[in-house]
Amino acid sequence: SQNYVDLLKIGAGQTFNNSFDGYEDETEVKLIELDFTYPIVLNEKNTFISGVSFSSNSLELFPNSFVTGGTNQVFGPLAKSTTLYSTTLKIGLATTFNDRWSATVVALPKIASDYENIGGDDFYFGAYGILKLKKRENLIYKFGFYASTEAFGLFTTPILGWYYSSPNGKFEMDMSLPIAADINYDVGFAKVGMDYFGIGRSYNVEKEGAPKVYVDQSSLEFLGYLQFNLLQKSVLLRAKAGYATTNNEVYADGDTYDLGLSAFSFGDNRTQLNPEMGGGLLLKFEAIYRFQLPNKTKDSN
């Protein structure tokens, strides 16, 4: 079974030449990500999970040519570089019921906005729960659910997946669909892999001189990577490249829908304020500190 836990992950990346539908203007998205997890073993069956994750996305939300005249001038400050920040606490519990079944439940309160004037509208609450079935020593099935309050409404999605490692340990799959996926193969001097990450998020934006709005972000990342293992596989360095949809839609504050369920939204009559943003090439670099568990049958991730 999965015999490690990633305690710290630091990443930085950038997309290039993201176009605006109907305009010649382009933007770039600069990314910074940090994820820290600190598990505390309470007893043989229970582990307390704590940690924090942080991300920032710097980009232009409107093309300059869109805001140069008429009533669109009010969005002028949003045509300049805007940085969207998100800080999330992780508080949860991982429990092992028996040799086959285990579960993890984590609360995810967060602050997500441009951090210009932090207030009550910048606070959101999310949570996820995962039930795991160890079918074999190298195969685990995962069933779960994720939900979060966002500026656009309530977002939810089921999670179905599995973890598989080949008997020789060279091939590995870690799937949590539709949110994340990672497939890799050990070629000796390095690991070659590809991963996917996608989830809906929102950020409250209060730029001086502009209307109060929020950003509905639904970036999907499809990346291939080369991973180098250092210090007995406790430090991992990844160079990644691929495509990201980088969709950042701007809506007026309070313009919401009833419910988001995975890729579907119900009661969505919102009016998008900025032109549709296109995807682009994403280059990304990550450093990971991985703790190898002494008992290979124990799954604490």
Side-chain angles (χ1 to χ4, degrees):
S1 62
Q2 190 169 345
N3 60 325
Y4 60 80
V5 56
D6 291 337
L7 299 181
L8 178 65
K9 179 186 291 186
I10 301 172
Q14 180 173 325
T15 66
F16 300 87
N17 306 119
N18 299 105
S19 62
F20 290 97
D21 188 25
Y23 296 84
E24 294 184 359
D25 307 62
E26 296 179 338
T27 186
E28 297 175 344
V29 183
K30 296 179 180 179
L31 315 169
I32 297 176
E33 299 171 342
L34 183 149
D35 188 89
F36 172 69
T37 301
Y38 187 68
I40 301 172
V41 177
L42 302 178
N43 52 49
E44 186 178 348
K45 297 288 187 180
N46 299 290
T47 300
F48 177 74
I49 297 174
S50 63
V52 63
S53 62
F54 170 83
S55 69
S56 72
N57 295 256
S58 298
L59 71 159
E60 289 82 42
L61 295 169
F62 286 81
N64 281 313
S65 54
F66 179 85
V67 302
T68 52
T71 58
N72 292 332
Q73 284 182 324
V74 70
F75 298 113
L78 299 174
K80 301 176 183 179
S81 180
T82 299
T83 302
L84 308 173
Y85 300 98
S86 179
T87 303
T88 305
L89 293 179
K90 295 187 286 186
I91 305 170
L93 184 69
T95 300
T96 300
F97 301 113
N98 51 48
D99 291 341
R100 300 187 65 194
W101 291 97
S102 63
T104 302
V105 178
V106 180
L108 302 168
K110 68 177 179 178
I111 302 174
S113 71
D114 57 359
Y115 285 13
E116 292 286 338
N117 296 292
I118 297 178
D121 290 343
D122 302 340
F123 288 82
Y124 306 98
F125 184 82
Y128 74 86
I130 299 290
L131 183 65
K132 299 179 181 180
L133 168 62
K134 185 166 72 172
K135 192 68 174 178
R136 298 194 299 271
E137 287 300 324
N138 63 336
L139 177 62
I140 298 172
Y141 293 122
K142 298 185 282 186
F143 315 91
F145 202 79
Y146 170 84
S148 177
T149 61
E150 300 289 344
F152 48 74
L154 178 63
F155 174 79
T156 62
T157 184
I159 301 172
L160 296 175
W162 64 90
Y163 173 83
Y164 171 77
S165 177
S166 63
N168 62 8
K170 289 184 173 295
F171 178 73
E172 185 181 46
M173 300 178 69
D174 192 358
M175 317 293 284
S176 297
L177 302 173
I179 295 176
D182 188 340
I183 302 172
N184 61 75
Y185 186 81
D186 191 338
V187 295
F189 69 95
K191 278 191 174 183
V192 177
M194 54 184 178
D195 64 14
Y196 154 82
F197 181 77
I199 196 169
R201 294 179 284 195
S202 64
Y203 304 85
N204 186 43
V205 177
E206 295 188 53
K207 281 276 189 179
E208 185 176 353
K212 187 176 179 180
V213 298
Y214 70 87
V215 177
D216 181 349
Q217 184 185 82
S218 56
S219 178
L220 306 178
E221 299 178 4
F222 304 88
L223 301 173
Y225 65 83
L226 189 63
Q227 172 182 301
F228 297 94
N229 303 327
L230 306 175
L231 301 178
Q232 296 182 335
K233 299 183 179 181
S234 62
V235 175
L236 317 179
L237 301 179
R238 288 178 179 173
K240 309 172 80 170
Y243 182 82
T245 60
T246 319
N247 197 8
N248 290 271
E249 301 175 353
V250 178
Y251 296 95
D253 180 49
D255 192 4
T256 64
Y257 58 58
D258 295 334
L259 175 66
L261 178 60
S262 192
F264 305 97
S265 57
F266 301 91
D268 190 355
N269 298 309
R270 297 177 298 168
T271 300
Q272 185 174 340
L273 302 178
N274 65 332
E276 199 75 23
M277 187 181 297
L281 171 68
L282 172 61
L283 298 180
K284 197 172 185 180
F285 298 92
E286 291 178 347
I288 300 170
Y289 175 66
R290 174 168 291 179
F291 179 72
Q292 302 290 337
L293 298 172
N295 183 357
K296 292 187 178 182
T297 64
K298 182 179 179 181
D299 175 29
S300 299
N301 194 26

